[in-house]
C-alpha cells in the first residue's frame, strides 16, 4: 500500500495494513487453540499502527464471540508486577505485543515469572528481526503466512 500523506511532507509512504495484520495474527492464534488473546501496549501508546492492530484483533475476536473485555494491557513489557497480576486475573493464553522490542522484553519477563512459552502462554512478533534482551540476542524467525514469528503450540 502506497499512500500520499500530507503530514509526511507529501512524500510517498509505504506501510502495512495493521488492522488486517492484527486480525490475521489473532486468527492464527485461534487456529492453534488460543481463546483469551490479549494485546500488550505501552502506557499512553496512541500510534495509529498500534490502535489499528488492536482493532483488527478485537474484530477477529468479535467474529468468534471471544471476549474482548479488558483484553488490552497497558504496561511496560518488563513490569513483572503488572504482567504477573494481569496473568493471574485475566488468565490469557496468548499475547500480541505492540512491537517486536516489547515482545522480546515480554519473553524475558515471562521467563522470570516462570511462565513456559508457548506451553502456558503463546506470543507472536511482527517483523522477525534479531533483538536483544540486554544480555542475549534473541533470534526470531518468520513463521506462518502473516510474516510473523510465533511461539505457539504445535
Amino acid at each position: 500500500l502506497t499512500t500520499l500523506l500530507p503530514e509526511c511532507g507529501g512524500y510517498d509512504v509505504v506501510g502495512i495494513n495493521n488492522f488486517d495484520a492484527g486480525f490475521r495474527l489473532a486468527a492464527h492464534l485461534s487456529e492453534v487453540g488460543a481463546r483469551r488473546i490479549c494485546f500488550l501496549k505501552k502506557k499512553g501508546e496512541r500510534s495509529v499502527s498500534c490502535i489499528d492492530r488492536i482493532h483488527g484483533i478485537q474484530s477477529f475476536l468479535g467474529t468468534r464471540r471471544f471476549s474482548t473485555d479488558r483484553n488490552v494491557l497497558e504496561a511496560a513489557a518488563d513490569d513483572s508486577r503488572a504482567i504477573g497480576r494481569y496473568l493471574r486475573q485475566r488468565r490469557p493464553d496468548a499475547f500480541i505485543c505492540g512491537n517486536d522490542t516489547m515482545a522480546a522484553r515480554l519473553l524475558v519477563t515471562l521467563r522470570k515469572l516462570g511462565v513456559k512459552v508457548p506451553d502456558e502462554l503463546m506470543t507472536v512478533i511482527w517483523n522477525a528481526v534479531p533483538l536483544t534482551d540486554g544480555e542475549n540476542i534473541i533470534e526470531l524467525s518468520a513463521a506462518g503466512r502473516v510474516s510473523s514469528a510465533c511461539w505457539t503450540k504445535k
Side-chain angles (χ1 to χ4, degrees), residues 3-105:
T3 278
L4 256 151
L5 299 173
E7 63 272 14
C8 293
Y11 294 100
D12 288 341
V13 176
V14 177
I16 67 167
N17 181 333
N18 286 292
F19 179 94
D20 187 55
F23 189 97
R24 288 176 181 233
L25 283 177
H28 170 73
L29 288 167
S30 174
E31 287 172 11
V32 294
R35 296 296 176 264
R36 293 176 311 280
I37 301 169
C38 298
F39 190 89
L40 177 64
K41 71 178 196 131
K42 293 185 292 191
K43 282 189 177 186
E45 174 67 55
R46 306 244 185 276
S47 70
V48 172
S49 61
C50 183
I51 300 305
D52 285 351
R53 290 172 180 182
I54 291 169
H55 288 159
I57 294 161
Q58 291 180 328
S59 178
F60 173 81
L61 297 176
T63 66
R64 298 301 185 273
R65 299 186 192 267
F66 295 161
S67 174
T68 59
D69 180 45
R70 297 180 299 163
N71 75 322
V72 177
L73 171 60
E74 286 194 51
D78 57 359
D79 184 344
S80 58
R81 289 183 65 199
I83 302 287
R85 183 172 48 252
Y86 190 82
L87 293 174
R88 286 187 303 279
Q89 292 173 353
R90 301 297 302 153
R91 302 190 51 81
D93 48 21
F95 260 114
I96 299 174
C97 296
N99 59 53
D100 290 352
T101 303
M102 288 188 77
R105 288 184 181 141

